[in-house]
Amino acid sequence: MTTQDHNVDRAAKLDTATLSDALDKLGIIGQCYKIKPRDTDFRMAGRAWTLKYGPAGKPCGTVGDYIDDVAPGSVIVLDNNGRDDCTVWGDILTEIAHRRGIAGTVINGINRDTHLCLSLGYPIFSKDSWMRTGKDRVQVEATGIPVNIGEARVAPGDILKGDTDGVVVIPKEHEDEVLKVAEEIEAAENQIRAAARSGMRLDEARQQFKYHQLQTRSEK
């Protein structure tokens, strides 16, 4: 197993709230604002495969026939500039991505055909869902470039983790540090819970395990 795979496994064991706290502590913006799961049971972790959309030209470009080139285990990250008037993902892509073992899809925009992702359990995280197609409205600008998802920058190969609370991106160049801090935060919070369950006052447990400093930005 490669180091990169190991770090995806580490991220998969952590929730987005803990990873968000670690990002805050390190002063890294990685919370994808208002990007939500189409089902609260969806969980996802993997490395980003990115695509950028723009308004359709004349003649119109394609919305993309990329799905067969995405490696299994990847997270497909689609930046449609936050548009909510047309979709860039539907049931055919959901079916193929699920069959190919793609970890999930994250959209700075909306999807449609939500019923299939729910029935298959294929994780989609987006701003919302609506039925109108993106054909003749958007076209592929580029793949394999940094994109913006909910005010967070996502570069190819970054780790994305999604759960009930949304999506966070862990920049590849900082992933070891982010994961280490997140694991430390999780351990401290587990110690607080254990102490409270054993009868300690919550304020005392929080003071003992430095709860109020867990998310405080580190001084460089």
Side-chain angles (χ1 to χ4, degrees):
M1 180 178 292
T2 67
T3 300
Q4 292 182 358
D5 291 336
H6 175 60
N7 281 348
V8 170
D9 290 342
R10 291 169 70 191
K13 295 174 183 175
L14 296 160
D15 58 43
T16 58
T18 302
L19 288 164
S20 174
D21 290 347
L23 290 165
D24 281 346
K25 189 173 183 67
L26 295 169
I28 299 170
I29 298 173
Q31 300 90 347
C32 298
Y33 184 56
K34 291 200 172 182
I35 304 299
K36 300 177 181 180
R38 294 301 99 207
D39 188 286
T40 56
D41 288 335
F42 283 164
R43 302 289 185 275
M44 170 198 75
R47 294 197 177 267
W49 186 95
T50 62
L51 184 152
K52 172 71 175 173
Y53 285 102
K58 194 170 182 69
C60 298
T62 176
V63 293
D65 296 315
Y66 54 84
I67 190 70
D68 294 299
D69 298 322
V70 181
S74 302
V75 173
I76 296 174
V77 182
L78 306 176
D79 181 3
N80 195 28
N81 302 294
R83 287 182 64 168
D84 59 8
D85 65 328
C86 64
T87 67
V88 291
W89 186 274
D91 57 357
I92 294 175
L93 288 169
T94 293
E95 180 180 343
I96 296 172
H98 177 70
R99 176 162 45 84
R100 285 181 48 77
I102 305 301
T105 299
V106 177
I107 308 169
N108 186 21
I110 62 175
N111 65 282
R112 69 178 185 177
D113 300 318
T114 305
H115 66 93
L116 186 61
C117 78
L118 297 177
S119 64
L120 293 177
Y122 177 78
I124 294 178
F125 294 78
S126 62
K127 292 183 68 176
D128 209 334
S129 60
W130 197 42
M131 87 299 293
R132 190 160 75 170
T133 182
K135 294 173 185 175
D136 299 333
R137 295 187 172 94
V138 299
Q139 65 185 40
V140 175
E141 297 287 0
T143 62
I145 64 168
V147 296
N148 296 313
I149 304 292
E151 302 179 11
R153 183 179 188 273
V154 181
D158 288 349
I159 295 175
L160 286 98
K161 170 63 193 284
D163 62 21
T164 304
D165 288 326
V167 176
V168 295
V169 53
I170 307 170
K172 190 172 183 179
E173 61 267 31
H174 300 295
E175 65 186 46
D176 287 320
E177 187 177 15
V178 172
L179 292 167
K180 178 177 180 291
V181 170
E183 288 162 350
E184 290 170 351
I185 290 172
E186 182 181 56
E189 291 189 343
N190 287 338
Q191 289 175 312
I192 290 167
R193 293 187 187 95
R197 289 169 187 154
S198 69
M200 182 182 290
R201 284 174 55 91
L202 180 57
D203 56 355
E204 294 175 356
R206 282 178 164 176
Q207 182 177 6
Q208 179 175 334
F209 297 106
K210 300 180 180 179
Y211 172 81
H212 296 291
Q213 287 78 48
L214 292 179
Q215 298 84 16
T216 303
R217 184 166 178 176
S218 301
E219 295 295 334
K220 294 295 186 182

